[in-house]
Amino acid sequence: MSFSRAIKIAPSILSADFANFGAECDAIEAQGADWVHVDVMDGHFVPNITFGPSTCAAIRKHIKGVMDVHLMIAPVDSYIDAFAQSGADVLTAHLEAGPHIHRTLQAIRAHGIKAGLALNPGTGLDAVGHLLDMVDLVCVMTVNPGFGGQKFINSQIAKVQSLRAMIGDRPIHIEIDGGVTTETAPLVAAAGADVLVAGSAVFKGGSVSAPQAYGDNIRAIRAAAEAAIR
């Protein structure tokens, strides 16, 4: 998993057919997805329940590229081992999920995988500077976490710009999660993001039996983002 600031599209399987995850992962990668994003929710830290480590392990065999696992759970530390062993390439924890985020990031990196730090819309960047040498990715939530299909929160664009300046030349990805469409992708790309998580915007209009729409949607989002940084 070499570092690049090129635009990467990471479809969220939260918007996929839950009864057909393996085939959905195969389909989105065949249609041009760079990463596969797995939103893990616990019904406690966020008001929804989704997947556990066994689901991640089951779909791992269907993912040829990067499996990007976003832990929206609290407490988080006791589950890091299980999700790391499920085959995650990137494991992201929330700054807000516990009192010892530095320890959490250490635990993730101890497994030899990439460590991500996620920030809710109401969370500032004050604490992030002290953690940049511990992270490979910062995920800026552009919706409140917990559900797919929410409206993009425009105030987060300035946060992305500030974060990009803080990162400087460090090899750290900026990921955007929430409300990514062909309209919002150029805004966050221009601000400095390079990994764009998209759920409904990728999966709309398609299915495992008719996956061409997935490819059309991925190409449209990528083109819109890349046009903003040429």
Side-chain angles (χ1 to χ4, degrees):
M1 184 179 164
S2 58
F3 181 80
S4 167
R5 295 201 190 281
I7 295 295
K8 290 162 284 294
I9 308 301
S12 168
I13 63 168
L14 190 63
S15 295
D17 177 0
F18 280 28
N20 219 358
F21 270 151
E24 290 277 45
C25 292
D26 291 334
I28 56 176
E29 284 198 321
Q31 291 294 327
D34 300 290
W35 294 11
V36 175
H37 188 83
V38 185
D39 286 307
V40 175
M41 306 180 188
D42 64 357
H44 171 70
F45 181 67
V46 293
N48 200 359
I49 298 173
T50 57
F51 325 116
S54 59
T55 301
C56 293
I59 66 173
R60 174 72 259 191
K61 68 189 74 167
H62 295 275
I63 299 172
K64 300 178 182 68
V66 173
M67 185 164 79
D68 174 33
V69 179
H70 179 187
L71 300 179
M72 288 172 269
I73 63 177
V76 65
D77 288 4
S78 55
Y79 294 96
I80 288 171
D81 288 356
F83 280 103
Q85 291 167 16
S86 76
D89 296 292
V90 183
L91 200 54
T92 297
H94 269 257
L95 177 68
E96 308 88 358
H100 304 295
I101 187 62
H102 190 280
R103 179 186 297 161
T104 303
L105 296 169
Q106 282 181 315
I108 294 170
R109 298 190 105 185
H111 285 278
I113 60 179
K114 303 296 186 184
L117 174 69
L119 307 173
N120 285 339
T123 300
L125 298 176
D126 291 351
V128 173
H130 301 289
L131 299 169
L132 286 179
D133 292 333
M134 294 295 299
V135 302
D136 301 284
L137 175 149
V138 179
C139 174
V140 177
M141 296 298 301
T142 44
V143 299
N144 284 295
F147 296 96
Q150 297 184 68
K151 183 176 172 54
F152 182 87
I153 301 173
N154 283 79
S155 64
Q156 302 307 294
I157 296 170
K159 184 190 291 185
V160 175
Q161 292 171 327
S162 297
L163 177 62
R164 183 68 192 86
M166 289 174 65
I167 287 172
D169 60 0
R170 294 177 178 90
I172 299 172
H173 298 291
I174 298 178
E175 180 175 76
I176 301 299
D177 189 353
V180 171
T181 65
T182 52
E183 288 74 35
T184 58
L187 304 178
V188 293
D194 63 284
V195 182
L196 308 183
V197 176
S200 53
V202 165
F203 285 94
K204 67 181 180 184
S207 66
V208 166
S209 59
Q212 297 85 355
Y214 298 166
D216 291 342
N217 295 335
I218 289 168
R219 285 186 290 274
I221 295 168
R222 190 190 311 279
E226 290 178 343
I229 55 176
R230 287 196 185 111

